[in-house]
Amino acid sequence: MAEKVWGGRFKEGTDEALERFNASLPFDRRLYAQDIEGSRAHCRMLAKQGIIREEEASRMMEALSEILIELEKKDTAPELPYEDIHTLVERKLVEKVGPLGEKLHTGRSRNDQVALDTRMYVRDAIKRVIALIGDMQSALVELAEKHIDFIVPGYTHLQRAQPVLLGHHFLAYYEMLSRDRARYEESMKRVRIMPLGSAALAGTTFKLDRQMVARELGFETVSANSMDAVSDRDFVLEFLFGSSVLMMHLSRLSEELILWSTMEFGFVSLPDAFCTGSSIMPQKKNPDLLELVRGKTGRVYGHLMALFTTMKGLPLTYNKDMQEDKEGLFDTVDTVEQSLLLMSRLLSGVSFHKEAMSNAVDHGYLVATDLADYLVTKGVTFRQAHEVVGRMVLSALERGVELHELTLDEMKGFWQDIEEDVYAWLDPIACIDRRNIMGGTGRSLVKVALAKAREDMKAR
Ligand code: ARG
Protein backbone atom coordinates (compact mmCIF):
# COMPACT_ATOMS: atom_id res chain seq x y z
CA MET A 1 0.00 0.00 0.00
CA ALA A 2 1.13 3.49 -0.75
CA GLU A 3 2.21 5.77 2.03
CA LYS A 4 -0.56 6.82 4.41
CA VAL A 5 -1.76 10.38 4.78
CA TRP A 6 -2.10 9.63 8.50
CA GLY A 7 1.01 7.49 9.10
CA GLY A 8 2.75 9.68 11.67
CA ARG A 9 1.03 8.34 14.74
CA PHE A 10 1.49 4.68 13.85
CA LYS A 11 4.35 2.38 14.82
CA GLU A 12 3.25 -0.65 12.87
CA GLY A 13 2.03 -1.08 9.32
CA THR A 14 -1.57 -1.88 8.46
CA ASP A 15 -2.66 -5.48 8.10
CA GLU A 16 -2.78 -6.28 4.42
CA ALA A 17 -6.27 -7.74 4.53
CA LEU A 18 -7.50 -4.66 6.38
CA GLU A 19 -6.00 -2.42 3.70
CA ARG A 20 -8.18 -4.12 1.12
CA PHE A 21 -11.20 -4.15 3.42
CA ASN A 22 -10.78 -0.49 4.26
CA ALA A 23 -10.07 0.85 0.79
CA SER A 24 -12.86 2.61 -1.05
CA LEU A 25 -10.82 3.59 -4.11
CA PRO A 26 -12.13 0.69 -6.22
CA PHE A 27 -15.57 2.26 -6.08
CA ASP A 28 -15.16 5.91 -5.04
CA ARG A 29 -12.80 6.51 -7.96
CA ARG A 30 -16.08 7.40 -9.61
CA LEU A 31 -16.04 10.66 -7.64
CA TYR A 32 -12.80 11.87 -9.25
CA ALA A 33 -14.34 14.74 -11.23
CA GLN A 34 -16.27 16.04 -8.23
CA ASP A 35 -13.22 15.63 -5.99
CA ILE A 36 -11.06 17.65 -8.34
CA GLU A 37 -13.67 20.33 -8.97
CA GLY A 38 -14.14 20.71 -5.22
CA SER A 39 -10.39 20.80 -4.69
CA ARG A 40 -9.98 23.50 -7.30
CA ALA A 41 -12.60 25.69 -5.65
CA HIS A 42 -10.99 25.14 -2.26
CA CYS A 43 -7.60 26.01 -3.74
CA ARG A 44 -8.78 29.27 -5.31
CA MET A 45 -10.44 30.23 -2.07
CA LEU A 46 -7.30 29.49 0.01
CA ALA A 47 -5.38 31.89 -2.25
CA LYS A 48 -8.03 34.58 -2.15
CA GLN A 49 -8.02 34.40 1.63
CA GLY A 50 -4.22 34.71 1.68
CA ILE A 51 -3.82 31.27 3.26
CA ILE A 52 -1.65 30.19 0.33
CA ARG A 53 0.07 32.40 -2.24
CA GLU A 54 -1.53 33.11 -5.64
CA GLU A 55 1.48 31.62 -7.37
CA GLU A 56 1.14 28.41 -5.32
CA ALA A 57 -2.52 28.23 -6.17
CA SER A 58 -1.93 28.54 -9.89
CA ARG A 59 0.61 25.73 -9.84
CA MET A 60 -1.82 23.50 -7.99
CA MET A 61 -4.71 24.50 -10.25
CA GLU A 62 -2.73 23.54 -13.31
CA ALA A 63 -1.68 20.22 -11.80
CA LEU A 64 -5.27 19.45 -10.77
CA SER A 65 -6.41 19.98 -14.37
CA GLU A 66 -3.76 17.54 -15.52
CA ILE A 67 -4.85 15.01 -12.91
CA LEU A 68 -8.41 15.33 -14.15
CA ILE A 69 -7.33 14.46 -17.68
CA GLU A 70 -5.26 11.55 -16.41
CA LEU A 71 -8.09 10.12 -14.36
CA GLU A 72 -10.53 10.53 -17.23
CA LYS A 73 -8.47 8.11 -19.29
CA LYS A 74 -10.00 4.71 -18.91
CA ASP A 75 -6.78 2.84 -19.69
CA THR A 76 -4.58 4.43 -17.04
CA ALA A 77 -1.82 2.27 -15.64
CA PRO A 78 -2.85 0.53 -12.43
CA GLU A 79 -2.94 3.09 -9.67
CA LEU A 80 -1.17 2.56 -6.42
CA PRO A 81 -3.66 1.10 -4.01
CA TYR A 82 -4.49 4.32 -2.23
CA GLU A 83 -7.14 4.33 0.42
CA ASP A 84 -9.65 6.44 -1.43
CA ILE A 85 -10.10 8.95 -4.25
CA HIS A 86 -9.25 11.89 -1.98
CA THR A 87 -5.88 10.37 -1.09
CA LEU A 88 -5.20 9.44 -4.69
CA VAL A 89 -5.80 12.99 -5.95
CA GLU A 90 -3.70 14.51 -3.18
CA ARG A 91 -0.83 12.08 -3.81
CA LYS A 92 -0.92 12.72 -7.54
CA LEU A 93 -0.80 16.42 -6.79
CA VAL A 94 2.27 15.97 -4.58
CA GLU A 95 3.92 13.91 -7.34
CA LYS A 96 3.42 16.88 -9.67
CA VAL A 97 4.12 19.95 -7.52
CA GLY A 98 6.06 18.49 -4.62
CA PRO A 99 5.32 19.18 -0.94
CA LEU A 100 3.34 22.27 -1.96
CA GLY A 101 0.54 19.84 -2.89
CA GLU A 102 0.12 19.03 0.78
CA LYS A 103 -1.10 22.57 1.40
CA LEU A 104 -4.32 21.84 -0.45
CA HIS A 105 -5.71 20.01 2.53
CA THR A 106 -5.42 23.14 4.72
CA GLY A 107 -8.68 23.69 6.59
CA ARG A 108 -10.17 20.60 5.04
CA SER A 109 -10.80 17.03 6.15
CA ARG A 110 -11.75 14.00 4.15
CA ASN A 111 -14.92 14.09 6.21
CA ASP A 112 -16.22 17.34 4.72
CA GLN A 113 -14.55 16.52 1.41
CA VAL A 114 -16.42 13.25 0.96
CA ALA A 115 -19.67 14.94 1.96
CA LEU A 116 -19.03 17.59 -0.70
CA ASP A 117 -18.09 15.10 -3.41
CA THR A 118 -21.13 12.94 -2.73
CA ARG A 119 -23.44 15.94 -2.76
CA MET A 120 -22.02 17.07 -6.10
CA TYR A 121 -22.36 13.56 -7.46
CA VAL A 122 -25.98 13.25 -6.34
CA ARG A 123 -26.75 16.67 -7.77
CA ASP A 124 -25.31 15.71 -11.17
CA ALA A 125 -27.10 12.36 -11.09
CA ILE A 126 -30.43 14.04 -10.32
CA LYS A 127 -30.02 16.30 -13.36
CA ARG A 128 -29.36 13.34 -15.64
CA VAL A 129 -32.20 11.27 -14.18
CA ILE A 130 -34.65 14.15 -14.58
CA ALA A 131 -33.70 14.47 -18.26
CA LEU A 132 -34.21 10.74 -18.76
CA ILE A 133 -37.59 10.89 -17.04
CA GLY A 134 -38.50 13.64 -19.51
CA ASP A 135 -37.53 11.38 -22.44
CA MET A 136 -39.66 8.58 -21.11
CA GLN A 137 -42.60 10.93 -20.63
CA SER A 138 -42.26 12.03 -24.26
CA ALA A 139 -42.31 8.39 -25.34
CA LEU A 140 -45.49 7.82 -23.32
CA VAL A 141 -47.20 10.90 -24.74
CA GLU A 142 -46.23 9.88 -28.26
CA LEU A 143 -47.71 6.42 -27.74
CA ALA A 144 -50.90 7.92 -26.38
CA GLU A 145 -51.21 10.29 -29.33
CA LYS A 146 -50.41 7.68 -31.92
CA HIS A 147 -53.11 5.34 -30.56
CA ILE A 148 -55.68 7.93 -29.66
CA ASP A 149 -58.61 5.78 -30.89
CA PHE A 150 -57.46 2.54 -29.24
CA ILE A 151 -59.61 1.26 -26.41
CA VAL A 152 -58.54 -1.30 -23.89
CA PRO A 153 -60.08 -2.94 -20.84
CA GLY A 154 -59.31 -1.13 -17.61
CA TYR A 155 -58.72 -3.69 -14.86
CA THR A 156 -59.21 -3.99 -11.15
CA HIS A 157 -57.99 -7.17 -9.44
CA LEU A 158 -56.71 -7.99 -12.94
CA GLN A 159 -60.33 -8.65 -13.89
CA ARG A 160 -61.85 -6.70 -16.76
CA ALA A 161 -63.59 -3.71 -15.23
CA GLN A 162 -64.48 -0.80 -17.57
CA PRO A 163 -63.32 0.32 -21.01
CA VAL A 164 -60.67 3.05 -21.11
CA LEU A 165 -58.65 4.76 -23.79
CA LEU A 166 -55.18 3.27 -24.22
CA GLY A 167 -53.94 6.85 -24.04
CA HIS A 168 -55.55 7.29 -20.63
CA HIS A 169 -53.68 4.24 -19.42
CA PHE A 170 -50.35 5.66 -20.61
CA LEU A 171 -51.04 9.08 -19.21
CA ALA A 172 -51.42 7.41 -15.81
CA TYR A 173 -47.70 6.57 -16.04
CA TYR A 174 -46.98 10.07 -17.29
CA GLU A 175 -48.47 11.39 -14.04
CA MET A 176 -46.45 8.98 -11.92
CA LEU A 177 -43.28 10.08 -13.66
CA SER A 178 -44.19 13.74 -13.14
CA ARG A 179 -44.31 13.12 -9.41
CA ASP A 180 -41.03 11.19 -9.56
CA ARG A 181 -39.46 14.12 -11.29
CA ALA A 182 -40.89 16.51 -8.71
CA ARG A 183 -39.51 14.35 -5.89
CA TYR A 184 -35.99 14.60 -7.31
CA GLU A 185 -36.36 18.33 -7.95
CA GLU A 186 -37.67 18.93 -4.47
CA SER A 187 -34.80 17.01 -2.90
CA MET A 188 -32.31 19.20 -4.77
CA LYS A 189 -32.59 22.02 -2.27
CA ARG A 190 -31.41 19.67 0.45
CA VAL A 191 -28.61 18.31 -1.73
CA ARG A 192 -27.24 21.71 -2.66
CA ILE A 193 -25.88 22.56 0.78
CA MET A 194 -22.13 23.11 0.78
CA PRO A 195 -20.31 21.30 3.63
CA LEU A 196 -16.67 22.44 3.16
CA GLY A 197 -15.45 24.44 6.13
CA SER A 198 -16.86 21.87 8.52
CA ALA A 199 -13.46 20.16 8.37
CA ALA A 200 -13.29 17.00 10.50
CA LEU A 201 -16.34 17.85 12.60
CA ALA A 202 -16.01 21.12 14.49
CA GLY A 203 -15.10 23.66 11.80
CA THR A 204 -11.61 25.04 11.25
CA THR A 205 -9.25 27.64 12.64
CA PHE A 206 -8.57 29.00 9.15
CA LYS A 207 -10.53 31.94 7.80
CA LEU A 208 -12.17 30.13 4.90
CA ASP A 209 -14.65 31.88 2.66
CA ARG A 210 -17.34 29.24 2.58
CA GLN A 211 -19.74 31.39 0.55
CA MET A 212 -17.18 31.76 -2.20
CA VAL A 213 -16.70 27.99 -2.44
CA ALA A 214 -20.45 27.48 -2.46
CA ARG A 215 -20.90 30.04 -5.24
CA GLU A 216 -18.12 28.59 -7.36
CA LEU A 217 -19.48 25.08 -7.07
CA GLY A 218 -23.06 26.11 -7.74
CA PHE A 219 -24.40 25.39 -4.26
CA GLU A 220 -27.30 27.37 -2.92
CA THR A 221 -26.34 27.53 0.75
CA VAL A 222 -23.60 26.55 3.16
CA SER A 223 -24.27 24.06 5.92
CA ALA A 224 -25.24 25.60 9.26
CA ASN A 225 -23.73 23.01 11.58
CA SER A 226 -20.38 21.35 11.03
CA MET A 227 -21.28 18.21 12.97
CA ASP A 228 -24.44 17.69 10.96
CA ALA A 229 -22.64 18.44 7.70
CA VAL A 230 -20.07 15.66 8.05
CA SER A 231 -22.31 13.06 9.59
CA ASP A 232 -25.63 12.89 7.79
CA ARG A 233 -26.42 11.12 4.55
CA ASP A 234 -30.12 11.92 4.47
CA PHE A 235 -29.70 13.42 1.01
CA VAL A 236 -28.47 10.05 -0.27
CA LEU A 237 -31.41 8.35 1.41
CA GLU A 238 -33.78 10.77 -0.29
CA PHE A 239 -32.21 9.95 -3.62
CA LEU A 240 -32.56 6.24 -2.93
CA PHE A 241 -36.17 6.69 -1.84
CA GLY A 242 -37.08 8.76 -4.92
CA SER A 243 -35.36 6.14 -7.05
CA SER A 244 -37.22 3.32 -5.31
CA VAL A 245 -40.56 4.95 -6.09
CA LEU A 246 -39.50 5.58 -9.68
CA MET A 247 -38.37 1.97 -10.09
CA MET A 248 -41.66 0.78 -8.60
CA HIS A 249 -43.46 2.72 -11.34
CA LEU A 250 -41.20 1.35 -14.07
CA SER A 251 -41.64 -2.12 -12.65
CA ARG A 252 -45.42 -1.91 -12.79
CA LEU A 253 -45.33 -0.73 -16.39
CA SER A 254 -42.91 -3.55 -17.17
CA GLU A 255 -45.21 -6.07 -15.56
CA GLU A 256 -48.16 -4.83 -17.62
CA LEU A 257 -46.24 -4.97 -20.88
CA ILE A 258 -45.02 -8.47 -20.01
CA LEU A 259 -48.60 -9.55 -19.41
CA TRP A 260 -49.95 -7.75 -22.44
CA SER A 261 -47.35 -9.38 -24.68
CA THR A 262 -48.37 -12.90 -23.68
CA MET A 263 -50.42 -14.97 -26.09
CA GLU A 264 -53.14 -14.97 -23.45
CA PHE A 265 -53.53 -11.19 -23.75
CA GLY A 266 -52.05 -10.57 -27.17
CA PHE A 267 -52.36 -6.78 -26.82
CA VAL A 268 -48.81 -5.83 -27.78
CA SER A 269 -45.78 -7.02 -29.68
CA LEU A 270 -42.47 -5.98 -28.21
CA PRO A 271 -39.63 -4.88 -30.49
CA ASP A 272 -37.17 -7.71 -31.22
CA ALA A 273 -34.29 -5.45 -30.28
CA PHE A 274 -35.38 -5.54 -26.64
CA CYS A 275 -36.20 -9.23 -26.34
CA THR A 276 -34.18 -12.41 -26.35
CA GLY A 277 -34.75 -16.01 -27.33
CA SER A 278 -34.45 -19.41 -25.71
CA SER A 279 -31.54 -21.80 -26.11
CA ILE A 280 -33.90 -24.76 -26.40
CA MET A 281 -37.36 -23.54 -27.46
CA PRO A 282 -37.08 -22.09 -30.95
CA GLN A 283 -40.42 -20.27 -30.82
CA LYS A 284 -39.60 -18.18 -27.74
CA LYS A 285 -39.33 -14.40 -27.62
CA ASN A 286 -38.81 -13.34 -24.05
CA PRO A 287 -39.31 -9.84 -22.59
CA ASP A 288 -35.95 -9.80 -20.78
CA LEU A 289 -35.52 -6.05 -20.59
CA LEU A 290 -38.86 -5.61 -18.86
CA GLU A 291 -38.16 -8.53 -16.53
CA LEU A 292 -34.80 -7.04 -15.63
CA VAL A 293 -36.31 -3.66 -14.84
CA ARG A 294 -38.87 -5.41 -12.64
CA GLY A 295 -36.12 -7.51 -11.07
CA LYS A 296 -33.66 -4.68 -10.51
CA THR A 297 -36.30 -2.72 -8.62
CA GLY A 298 -35.56 -5.08 -5.74
CA ARG A 299 -31.92 -4.14 -5.54
CA VAL A 300 -32.73 -0.42 -5.45
CA TYR A 301 -35.11 -1.02 -2.52
CA GLY A 302 -32.29 -3.05 -0.99
CA HIS A 303 -29.86 -0.14 -1.21
CA LEU A 304 -32.38 2.13 0.51
CA MET A 305 -32.88 -0.35 3.34
CA ALA A 306 -29.16 -1.02 3.62
CA LEU A 307 -28.27 2.64 4.07
CA PHE A 308 -31.13 3.22 6.50
CA THR A 309 -29.78 0.35 8.54
CA THR A 310 -26.18 1.55 8.29
CA MET A 311 -27.10 5.01 9.53
CA LYS A 312 -29.52 4.24 12.30
CA GLY A 313 -27.11 3.55 15.15
CA LEU A 314 -24.29 5.94 14.32
CA PRO A 315 -23.21 8.42 16.99
CA LEU A 316 -22.19 11.84 15.69
CA THR A 317 -20.14 12.60 13.74
CA TYR A 318 -18.33 10.79 10.91
CA ASN A 319 -18.00 7.01 11.22
CA LYS A 320 -16.37 4.75 8.68
CA ASP A 321 -19.67 2.87 8.37
CA MET A 322 -20.73 5.78 6.16
CA GLN A 323 -18.31 4.73 3.45
CA GLU A 324 -20.95 2.08 2.76
CA ASP A 325 -23.23 4.75 1.28
CA LYS A 326 -21.44 4.76 -2.05
CA GLU A 327 -21.78 1.41 -3.76
CA GLY A 328 -25.54 1.36 -3.25
CA LEU A 329 -25.81 4.94 -4.48
CA PHE A 330 -23.71 4.29 -7.59
CA ASP A 331 -25.54 1.09 -8.37
CA THR A 332 -28.86 2.89 -7.98
CA VAL A 333 -27.78 5.65 -10.36
CA ASP A 334 -26.71 3.07 -12.95
CA THR A 335 -29.86 1.02 -12.55
CA VAL A 336 -32.20 3.99 -12.78
CA GLU A 337 -30.42 5.54 -15.77
CA GLN A 338 -30.27 2.33 -17.76
CA SER A 339 -33.83 1.35 -16.93
CA LEU A 340 -35.19 4.72 -18.05
CA LEU A 341 -33.09 4.84 -21.18
CA LEU A 342 -33.87 1.32 -22.32
CA MET A 343 -37.55 1.46 -21.45
CA SER A 344 -38.01 4.69 -23.40
CA ARG A 345 -36.45 3.04 -26.42
CA LEU A 346 -38.58 -0.07 -26.02
CA LEU A 347 -41.74 2.04 -25.74
CA SER A 348 -41.02 3.76 -29.05
CA GLY A 349 -40.93 0.37 -30.76
CA VAL A 350 -43.95 -1.34 -29.20
CA SER A 351 -46.86 -2.17 -31.52
CA PHE A 352 -50.39 -2.46 -30.24
CA HIS A 353 -53.07 -4.80 -31.54
CA LYS A 354 -56.23 -2.80 -31.82
CA GLU A 355 -58.44 -5.80 -32.63
CA ALA A 356 -57.30 -7.88 -29.67
CA MET A 357 -57.81 -4.96 -27.31
CA SER A 358 -61.26 -4.03 -28.53
CA ASN A 359 -62.23 -7.69 -28.63
CA ALA A 360 -61.27 -7.91 -24.97
CA VAL A 361 -63.37 -4.82 -24.26
CA ASP A 362 -66.38 -6.49 -25.92
CA HIS A 363 -66.27 -9.55 -23.67
CA GLY A 364 -66.69 -9.64 -19.94
CA TYR A 365 -69.56 -7.21 -19.27
CA LEU A 366 -67.32 -4.14 -19.00
CA VAL A 367 -70.35 -1.93 -19.68
CA ALA A 368 -72.36 -3.26 -16.70
CA THR A 369 -71.70 -0.13 -14.63
CA ASP A 370 -73.11 1.97 -17.46
CA LEU A 371 -76.22 -0.16 -17.57
CA ALA A 372 -76.69 0.45 -13.85
CA ASP A 373 -76.10 4.19 -14.42
CA TYR A 374 -78.75 4.04 -17.18
CA LEU A 375 -81.28 2.61 -14.72
CA VAL A 376 -80.43 5.42 -12.31
CA THR A 377 -81.42 7.90 -15.05
CA LYS A 378 -84.78 6.11 -15.03
CA GLY A 379 -85.20 6.92 -11.34
CA VAL A 380 -83.88 3.67 -9.81
CA THR A 381 -81.54 3.96 -6.78
CA PHE A 382 -78.01 2.93 -7.58
CA ARG A 383 -78.09 0.01 -5.12
CA GLN A 384 -81.21 -1.37 -6.71
CA ALA A 385 -79.82 -0.79 -10.22
CA HIS A 386 -76.66 -2.67 -9.20
CA GLU A 387 -78.77 -5.61 -8.02
CA VAL A 388 -80.86 -5.69 -11.22
CA VAL A 389 -77.82 -5.51 -13.52
CA GLY A 390 -76.09 -8.15 -11.41
CA ARG A 391 -78.98 -10.51 -12.18
CA MET A 392 -78.86 -9.57 -15.87
CA VAL A 393 -75.11 -10.34 -15.97
CA LEU A 394 -75.66 -13.68 -14.27
CA SER A 395 -78.34 -14.67 -16.75
CA ALA A 396 -76.29 -13.48 -19.76
CA LEU A 397 -73.29 -15.36 -18.40
CA GLU A 398 -75.31 -18.55 -18.13
CA ARG A 399 -76.48 -18.18 -21.70
CA GLY A 400 -73.05 -17.19 -22.99
CA VAL A 401 -74.10 -13.80 -24.37
CA GLU A 402 -73.07 -10.20 -23.73
CA LEU A 403 -75.41 -7.56 -22.33
CA HIS A 404 -76.02 -5.85 -25.67
CA GLU A 405 -77.10 -9.21 -27.08
CA LEU A 406 -80.12 -9.35 -24.78
CA THR A 407 -83.36 -8.38 -26.57
CA LEU A 408 -85.37 -5.45 -25.28
CA ASP A 409 -88.07 -7.86 -24.10
CA GLU A 410 -85.50 -9.91 -22.21
CA MET A 411 -84.21 -6.75 -20.58
CA LYS A 412 -87.70 -5.62 -19.69
CA GLY A 413 -88.08 -8.93 -17.88
CA PHE A 414 -85.49 -7.58 -15.41
CA TRP A 415 -86.76 -4.01 -15.29
CA GLN A 416 -89.94 -2.84 -16.95
CA ASP A 417 -88.79 0.75 -17.64
CA ILE A 418 -85.83 -0.20 -19.83
CA GLU A 419 -86.33 1.25 -23.35
CA GLU A 420 -84.66 1.03 -26.78
CA ASP A 421 -82.27 3.87 -25.81
CA VAL A 422 -80.46 1.43 -23.49
CA TYR A 423 -78.36 0.06 -26.36
CA ALA A 424 -76.62 3.39 -26.84
CA TRP A 425 -75.42 3.03 -23.25
CA LEU A 426 -73.76 -0.29 -23.99
CA ASP A 427 -71.37 0.90 -26.68
CA PRO A 428 -67.85 0.93 -25.17
CA ILE A 429 -66.75 4.17 -26.84
CA ALA A 430 -69.92 5.85 -25.54
CA CYS A 431 -69.04 4.49 -22.08
CA ILE A 432 -65.65 6.13 -22.41
CA ASP A 433 -67.01 9.47 -23.59
CA ARG A 434 -69.66 9.52 -20.89
CA ARG A 435 -66.83 9.69 -18.33
CA ASN A 436 -66.52 13.30 -19.15
CA ILE A 437 -65.27 14.36 -15.77
CA MET A 438 -61.97 15.98 -14.83
CA GLY A 439 -59.44 13.14 -14.68
CA GLY A 440 -61.72 10.71 -16.52
CA THR A 441 -61.12 8.72 -19.69
CA GLY A 442 -63.52 10.65 -21.98
CA ARG A 443 -61.89 11.22 -25.36
CA SER A 444 -62.06 15.00 -25.24
CA LEU A 445 -60.54 15.00 -21.75
CA VAL A 446 -57.69 12.74 -22.76
CA LYS A 447 -56.99 15.09 -25.67
CA VAL A 448 -56.86 18.02 -23.25
CA ALA A 449 -54.59 16.00 -20.92
CA LEU A 450 -52.29 15.24 -23.84
CA ALA A 451 -52.13 18.87 -24.88
CA LYS A 452 -51.34 19.84 -21.31
CA ALA A 453 -48.62 17.20 -21.09
CA ARG A 454 -47.09 18.55 -24.30
CA GLU A 455 -47.18 22.07 -22.90
CA ASP A 456 -45.65 21.03 -19.59
CA MET A 457 -42.86 19.24 -21.38
CA LYS A 458 -42.17 22.26 -23.56
CA ALA A 459 -42.09 24.57 -20.54
CA ARG A 460 -39.26 22.59 -18.91
N1 ARG B 1 -13.48 6.96 1.99
C1 ARG B 1 -14.12 7.65 3.05
C2 ARG B 1 -15.64 7.57 2.87
O1 ARG B 1 -16.05 7.30 1.80
C3 ARG B 1 -13.72 9.08 3.05
C4 ARG B 1 -13.74 9.73 4.41
C5 ARG B 1 -12.72 9.15 5.27
N2 ARG B 1 -12.55 9.87 6.48
C6 ARG B 1 -11.87 9.34 7.47
N3 ARG B 1 -11.73 10.07 8.50
N4 ARG B 1 -11.38 8.13 7.42
O2 ARG B 1 -16.40 7.75 3.79
Side-chain angles (χ1 to χ4, degrees):
M1 169 70 68
E3 205 188 311
K4 302 283 183 308
V5 287
W6 39 257
R9 184 240 175 273
F10 285 76
K11 280 204 284 201
E12 287 167 17
T14 318
D15 181 279
E16 216 179 286
L18 172 64
E19 295 224 318
R20 280 192 298 276
F21 195 62
N22 187 42
S24 54
L25 186 61
F27 50 89
D28 69 13
R29 191 188 190 284
R30 203 194 264 234
L31 295 173
Y32 73 89
Q34 288 80 9
D35 199 72
I36 292 173
E37 198 188 338
S39 293
R40 287 169 57 86
H42 185 66
C43 180
R44 276 192 296 269
M45 181 276 295
L46 289 177
K48 199 213 98 194
Q49 295 300 93
I51 299 166
I52 60 175
R53 295 201 311 275
E54 283 294 345
E55 178 269 330
E56 293 177 321
S58 25
R59 274 173 61 207
M60 285 201 278
M61 292 295 282
E62 208 171 293
L64 284 167
S65 304
E66 286 168 25
I67 296 169
L68 180 64
I69 294 165
E70 284 165 24
L71 290 179
E72 258 160 15
K73 283 199 205 110
K74 293 258 147 61
D75 59 342
T76 50
E79 281 143 7
L80 276 173
Y82 285 111
E83 217 178 302
D84 52 29
I85 185 63
H86 325 295
T87 321
L88 175 71
V89 171
E90 184 180 316
R91 286 292 138 179
K92 277 181 162 291
L93 184 63
V94 173
E95 269 168 38
K96 285 181 187 294
V97 301
L100 162 65
E102 293 170 358
K103 287 195 178 180
L104 180 62
H105 214 49
T106 311
R108 191 175 70 165
S109 156
R110 280 185 295 162
N111 296 352
D112 57 352
Q113 193 177 354
V114 73
L116 175 76
D117 293 1
T118 310
R119 284 176 179 279
M120 288 167 72
Y121 180 85
V122 170
R123 178 186 68 183
D124 298 346
I126 288 177
K127 285 184 196 154
R128 293 195 307 273
V129 170
I130 284 178
L132 287 165
I133 289 177
D135 293 345
M136 177 138 175
Q137 287 185 304
S138 304
L140 287 165
V141 166
E142 256 149 49
L143 277 187
E145 278 170 345
K146 200 164 130 199
H147 303 92
I148 191 68
D149 54 345
F150 283 39
I151 60 176
V152 67
Y155 295 84
T156 65
H157 312 267
L158 199 53
Q159 306 287 325
R160 289 180 195 169
Q162 292 174 352
V164 292
L165 283 187
L166 182 60
H168 196 55
H169 194 118
F170 283 125
L171 285 178
Y173 285 100
Y174 177 91
E175 291 297 322
M176 295 175 223
L177 291 179
S178 292
R179 292 192 298 278
D180 289 328
R181 184 195 160 88
R183 252 183 293 276
Y184 285 114
E185 272 169 357
E186 157 69 21
S187 72
M188 256 309 200
K189 57 175 183 271
R190 287 177 292 280
V191 174
R192 295 168 84 172
I193 301 172
M194 208 292 295
L196 281 195
S198 305
L201 75 159
T204 170
T205 57
F206 296 97
K207 275 209 155 338
L208 305 186
D209 184 347
R210 302 189 64 206
Q211 304 291 347
M212 170 183 169
V213 175
R215 250 191 335 272
E216 294 218 345
L217 295 175
F219 279 81
E220 259 150 32
T221 48
V222 299
S223 53
N225 181 296
S226 59
M227 297 179 80
D228 171 42
V230 295
S231 72
D232 208 351
R233 293 292 182 267
D234 55 356
F235 66 98
V236 179
L237 284 165
E238 276 194 60
F239 181 86
L240 297 177
F241 173 72
S243 301
S244 296
V245 180
L246 168 65
M247 287 303 293
M248 182 261 295
H249 291 148
L250 300 187
S251 182
R252 293 184 75 176
L253 178 55
S254 296
E255 167 65 9
E256 290 194 324
L257 290 171
I258 290 167
L259 270 178
W260 286 12
S261 67
T262 59
M263 235 173 202
E264 284 71 9
F265 274 80
F267 290 178
V268 300
S269 295
L270 303 173
D272 280 4
F274 296 98
C275 295
T276 68
S278 153
S279 61
I280 177 168
M281 297 167 283
Q283 85 284 11
K284 291 300 290 292
K285 176 171 152 185
N286 297 325
D288 295 39
L289 164 60
L290 298 169
E291 292 171 305
L292 282 170
V293 170
R294 190 177 58 186
K296 284 173 188 288
T297 300
R299 69 201 269 163
V300 173
Y301 293 179
H303 296 319
L304 173 65
M305 275 309 127
L307 186 58
F308 262 136
T309 312
T310 298
M311 295 302 295
K312 85 176 187 48
L314 299 186
L316 299 186
T317 52
Y318 179 82
N319 300 268
K320 196 60 172 265
D321 315 46
M322 288 155 63
Q323 180 165 287
E324 288 293 307
D325 62 353
K326 282 170 209 65
E327 284 157 293
L329 168 64
F330 297 156
D331 185 66
T332 298
V333 170
D334 291 344
T335 304
V336 164
E337 286 188 332
Q338 290 182 49
S339 300
L340 282 168
L341 181 87
L342 287 164
M343 271 191 88
S344 301
R345 288 168 55 186
L346 174 137
L347 284 178
S348 315
V350 167
S351 42
F352 291 94
H353 305 310
K354 196 174 184 182
E355 279 292 313
M357 288 179 166
S358 76
N359 196 36
V361 168
D362 288 340
H363 295 92
Y365 313 100
L366 286 83
V367 297
T369 315
D370 292 67
L371 183 50
D373 288 354
Y374 167 81
L375 289 175
V376 170
T377 67
K378 301 280 170 187
V380 185
T381 67
F382 186 78
R383 277 296 145 232
Q384 192 168 17
H386 188 292
E387 171 69 25
V388 170
V389 176
R391 278 190 271 117
M392 292 169 83
V393 167
L394 187 59
S395 144
L397 200 56
E398 279 162 1
R399 292 169 46 202
V401 295
E402 286 296 318
L403 289 170
H404 69 272
E405 290 168 324
L406 297 174
T407 65
L408 186 55
D409 275 348
E410 284 166 346
M411 290 209 210
K412 277 182 176 293
F414 290 94
W415 195 261
Q416 196 48 43
D417 297 344
I418 297 181
E419 300 297 341
E420 192 61 39
D421 59 349
V422 70
Y423 292 102
W425 282 71
L426 304 181
D427 170 22
I429 197 72
C431 295
I432 285 173
D433 282 344
R434 220 174 278 122
R435 283 169 176 72
N436 196 23
I437 179 156
M438 174 66 197
T441 190
R443 274 181 295 183
S444 55
L445 287 158
V446 170
K447 277 187 188 139
V448 171
L450 278 170
K452 190 180 171 299
R454 281 259 174 237
E455 232 168 80
D456 288 352
M457 289 191 299
K458 233 192 282 163
R460 284 171 195 165

